[in-house]
Amino acid sequence: DWFGVGCFYYDAYPDYCGDYDDNDFTAEELCCACGGGACVQGTLSATDAVGDDCSYYELYPHQCGVWDDYDFTASLMCCACRGIVRCDDTDIGVYDTFGDGCEWYNSYSEECFSATWDDEDFTAANLCCACLAATAQTTETTSTPALPCTDLDYGELDMFNTSCSSYEVHQCGNFDTATFKARNLCCVCGGGSVCRDLDVL
């Protein structure tokens, strides 16, 4: 831009998108943080828990994240899932009448709305991401994303002064602060960005 900085600046300060454009730099076209850039589609050899690849999510984007598994994270690998709202199961310490939590509904989502197994403290349709397909982006990933991802912490640190580059999956969300949300900022936690800024070849 006319200040001489590239898209990395707008990752930290997206409110300034477009304010410093010049004749060869338009932030809204070039920078992921400003809605531009180029989405990097994941490898088609990886599939989700039920065997679908990214082409499935082009038809059913409301399913993004519902069928993630150890080697497939739709929000990181599929352009159709870019920007999907994250979802976390909220069944902590509660179970349905058969003793199952939200994990069971990941495999049997057809039971989500039958209320057959719901009880006074467990309503699958309200607690489980598999049942909230419109906002589903499961954040419990168990491996590093299979394609290039950029951490978005840019100097922000968790409560123990740790950055995304040092994070492991089991830390995700446990040490957040007001400005550091691991599941939004860190690739290993399902956050970060898989968009490629176009100001760098």
Side-chain angles (χ1 to χ4, degrees):
D1 64 14
W2 64 269
F3 268 129
V5 297
C7 289
F8 67 89
Y9 171 83
Y10 298 98
D11 290 332
Y13 303 102
D15 291 342
Y16 293 105
C17 290
D19 289 355
Y20 306 111
D21 291 352
D22 60 22
N23 61 352
D24 68 347
F25 186 95
T26 305
E28 291 175 350
E29 291 176 7
L30 300 175
C31 304
C32 297
C34 302
C39 183
V40 180
Q41 187 88 320
T43 174
L44 294 178
S45 64
T47 58
D48 63 18
V50 293
D52 290 313
D53 62 23
C54 288
S55 61
Y56 171 83
Y57 297 98
E58 291 171 10
L59 299 173
Y60 305 103
H62 62 281
Q63 292 286 313
C64 290
V66 173
W67 306 111
D68 288 355
D69 62 17
Y70 73 96
D71 71 343
F72 188 93
T73 304
S75 69
L76 296 175
M77 301 178 80
C78 305
C79 294
C81 298
R82 181 177 163 191
I84 297 295
V85 177
R86 299 179 189 286
C87 176
D88 289 307
D89 291 329
T90 56
D91 63 332
I92 300 166
V94 295
Y95 304 94
D96 65 17
T97 57
F98 203 70
D100 292 310
C102 289
E103 187 173 324
W104 183 80
Y105 292 89
N106 289 335
S107 298
Y108 301 99
S109 60
E110 68 275 6
E111 295 292 331
C112 286
F113 303 102
S114 70
T116 304
W117 311 111
D118 290 350
D119 59 25
E120 64 278 352
D121 66 353
F122 187 94
T123 305
N126 295 336
L127 299 175
C128 305
C129 290
C131 302
L132 298 171
T135 58
Q137 165 29 76
T138 306
T139 57
E140 291 300 318
T141 56
T142 56
S143 65
T144 302
L147 63 121
C149 179
T150 303
D151 290 325
L152 298 176
D153 50 348
Y154 297 108
E156 294 294 336
L157 301 172
D158 72 7
M159 65 189 321
F160 293 107
N161 293 320
T162 303
S163 67
C164 289
S165 63
S166 300
Y167 255 62
E168 295 179 21
V169 172
H170 70 274
Q171 295 172 290
C172 298
N174 293 328
F175 310 112
D176 287 355
T177 67
T179 58
F180 184 96
K181 304 292 184 199
R183 290 185 171 136
N184 294 338
L185 301 177
C186 305
C187 295
V188 72
C189 299
S193 174
V194 293
C195 181
R196 181 172 57 85
D197 291 324
L198 296 177
D199 67 332
V200 180
L201 296 178

